Amino acid sequence: MEKQSIKEYMEMYCKMTYGKTVKHATTAEVWSALSTAIMSQIVDRWYVTNKAYKSQKMAFYISAEYLMGRALGNNLINLQEYDQVKDLLKELNINLNEVEEMEEDAALGNGGLGRLAACFMDSSATMHLPVQGYGLRYRNGLFKQCFKNGEQVEEADEWLKYGDPWSIRKEADMVYINFSDMKVKAIPYDVPIIGFGGATINTLRLWQAEPLCEFDFNLYNNQQYDKALEQKNRTEDITRVLYPNDSTEQGKLLRLRQQYFLVSASVQDMVRDFKRRHGNVFDDFAKWHAVQLNDTHPVLAIPEFIRILVDEEGESFEKALGTARKVFAYTNHTILQEALEKWDAYLMQKLFPRIYQIIEQIDAALVQELREKGYSDDRINMYHIIKEGKVHMAHMAIYVGFAINGVAKLHTEILKNTELHHWYELYPYKFQNKTNGITPRRWLVLANQELSSLITEKLGSNEWMMDLSLLKQLTKFVEDDEVLERLQSIKYTKKCQLAECIKAREGIEIDPNSLFDVQVKRLHEYKRQLLNAMYILDLYFRLKENPNLDIPKVTFIFGAKAFPGYYRAKSVIKLILAIGDLINRTPEVKDKIQVVFVTNYSVSYAERIIPAADLSKQISTAGKEASGTGNMKLMLNGAPTFGTYDGANVEIVAESGEENNFIFGLRVEDINNLRNNYNPKEYYDKSPDLKRVLDAFIDGTLDPANTGCFRDLYEALLVGKNWERPDQYYLLADFKAFKAMQDKVFECYKDRRKWAQMSLMNIANSGAFSSDRTIMQYASEIWGISPIS
Ligand code: 26Q
């Protein structure tokens, strides 16, 4: 890369776009100029990668979400130009960090599933795999969160406000999308995915909805101004905003429109590309294309594919279905019943009658197959795609798909043995496990440059950045005092940086010498932030009773967004903020423990919090968290896991050793045994500490104005509400074990050398959780593709 040409490009860009020199440009303008300059340097290589893929089998990843975060820093890291560009900007008197901080996150996803898609994009390109992503270009990504009067308030996310230098609008590749009540354009925006080293550049294609014509002049001339604009608005609404829920949500018409818009555009694009390369004979489609469906959100791709082959290419239904059964594979990300998508059949029929007809045909084919196998009608009922007026998306995906995978070993076993057991009996060969992973480039090389340098120094090269299993070699330093001390000093540096950032963003001062105990993830009852809060409240009471309690100083750090319509999740945020205030008002406690709930937790915030964490809290009810990926990011940055035997925690502990983590609580089997005679009230009656904690929810301790705002939480735990059983997530049953294990944490943390050793063992054994490993398994075990040479 030419330093001089980047400078020249930036000068030219600023002149042409803003009418000023770089020297006079604002930081946002510099960000735009620099990003565009980098784009100009990669377009040729991007083109070369695309061309190389023309003679290979390709995999297409279709996902409604991509939680990309910022692009600039990551792209510089992957191009291995970070330091060079930093120097170059210094010559212009510009600080690269400040420029990076200007960039808005591309938050086109909710949480784990969307971030996984982003990590997979990075790893595919780094592994030189022919993979293309398809997604939606939401104008507004995940809402921004702030707190007002101790409660979450949402604001619109306007990630495009400084422009979008990281995509290219491909007007010529536009396709039309037909709904029963309207026809719209889908315009692709291509985002380059730069693999580490910069040799391979893949594509993420994001579709944007636009009206066929900007304006209906007939209506306008008739002075029907509102009507003239209505059509345009209705169209643009399709990709206006990301739905902010990451579990349930039933029956929203616009959401269904979004899903069909995504898959129709993507499938049309794939078929067009196939025809250009291989002609009109679709028998070979599966030889050239594999399609991965990221959860059920894009499952309408299946009937859409069949529709195109039948209605537009003149194939028979049977033949088209046969081809589809070799092309599609499906990833399941959840066991929660309420999160399995079931769409109202009537709604679907109304919006796309032809697609609905095809789904009926698919269902009929399934029934015929089961009849031939001699299944009884009762049995067949369990498999139906259309059942009781609902379309079961997962059923369609498993029947038509040639593979279905879970995202961690435990999760896949639960799918096979319980949730999808009947499907497993029918198609045992379709079931696979693909344990999730994370990209070490963003989550270590970019986010923790200090630790990266130490690792490169100790391993003698930076090869580990592309082969994370090499971190294993770090185990040989487990008794090396120099390494252990440097590890501690790096952690301290990251904690100071986070403290500064929290001071700037939240106006709160935290002590970098305290233990940073971190729980960051979406807010959900099953993730049990409330259990963590209950522990903190108990600790508050203990400290009030005995200010000399022998514990290290602790800062509890939370970050979480609640779905705006999820009342109970919002109450948990409110409760944690109230506990933080209570502690701050109590002199004998506030110098020992502190609670910080950061606002607007996001990918870029995670990049600061995770490297600074001493302890990783992963405390979901066993059996509920499919995998988790934050757990892997924290491990990679040297935080031992404080967690339950759930999701990928099981594998994390198997890799790094039980002795280097803090595992507590009920396991899946325990919960299954307890389920039918669980009475949380017994725990409350028998444990004075639990009673004291829960009573504080309603006796004014946390709610001095006595509004009763925490009564719902109290009752949800002790009596159950709206026909739900009390304490569905077993907080009371796990409280005692939680407490004992956290006391063990405090004991361990006293021996800082020992703690550093645990930290080192976690880093050294995190190699298995690279998304490079995960994506290579998808490539060889599902898609049948291999790296380009
Ligand atoms: C469904 C219907 C209507 C509207 C929205 C949705 C919806 C949207 C997002 C349902 C679920 C999601 C997201 C789920 C998710 O993030 N799951 C997480 O996936 C991670 C990656 O595999 C796992 O690590 C987590 O355990 C899992 O919770």
Side-chain angles (χ1 to χ4, degrees), residues 511 536 650 688 736:
D511 180 357
I536 298 168
V650 178
K736 194 173 162 193

Short mmCIF file of all heavy atoms in Angstrom, two decimals, residues 511 536 650 688 736:
data_model
loop_
_atom_site.label_atom_id
_atom_site.label_comp_id
_atom_site.label_asym_id
_atom_site.label_seq_id
_atom_site.Cartn_x
_atom_site.Cartn_y
_atom_site.Cartn_z
N ASP A 511 -12.64 1.94 39.75
CA ASP A 511 -11.27 1.73 40.22
C ASP A 511 -10.62 0.57 39.47
O ASP A 511 -11.02 -0.58 39.64
CB ASP A 511 -11.33 1.43 41.73
CG ASP A 511 -9.94 1.19 42.31
OD1 ASP A 511 -8.94 1.20 41.54
OD2 ASP A 511 -9.86 0.97 43.54
N ILE A 536 -25.49 -9.64 44.24
CA ILE A 536 -24.90 -8.35 44.60
C ILE A 536 -25.67 -7.72 45.78
O ILE A 536 -25.08 -7.18 46.71
CB ILE A 536 -24.87 -7.39 43.38
CG1 ILE A 536 -23.99 -7.97 42.28
CG2 ILE A 536 -24.38 -6.01 43.79
CD1 ILE A 536 -24.12 -7.25 40.94
N VAL A 650 -19.57 -25.65 28.46
CA VAL A 650 -19.16 -27.04 28.69
C VAL A 650 -17.84 -27.31 27.96
O VAL A 650 -16.89 -27.88 28.52
CB VAL A 650 -20.24 -28.02 28.19
CG1 VAL A 650 -19.80 -29.46 28.36
CG2 VAL A 650 -21.57 -27.76 28.90
N PRO A 688 -32.65 -17.37 55.04
CA PRO A 688 -32.84 -15.98 55.45
C PRO A 688 -32.15 -14.99 54.49
O PRO A 688 -32.66 -13.90 54.27
CB PRO A 688 -32.18 -15.91 56.83
CG PRO A 688 -32.04 -17.32 57.28
CD PRO A 688 -32.01 -18.20 56.09
N LYS A 736 -27.69 -20.54 46.11
CA LYS A 736 -26.71 -20.97 47.11
C LYS A 736 -25.38 -21.35 46.45
O LYS A 736 -24.30 -20.96 46.91
CB LYS A 736 -27.29 -22.16 47.88
CG LYS A 736 -26.54 -22.50 49.14
CD LYS A 736 -27.28 -23.57 49.93
CE LYS A 736 -26.32 -24.21 50.93
NZ LYS A 736 -26.88 -25.44 51.50
#
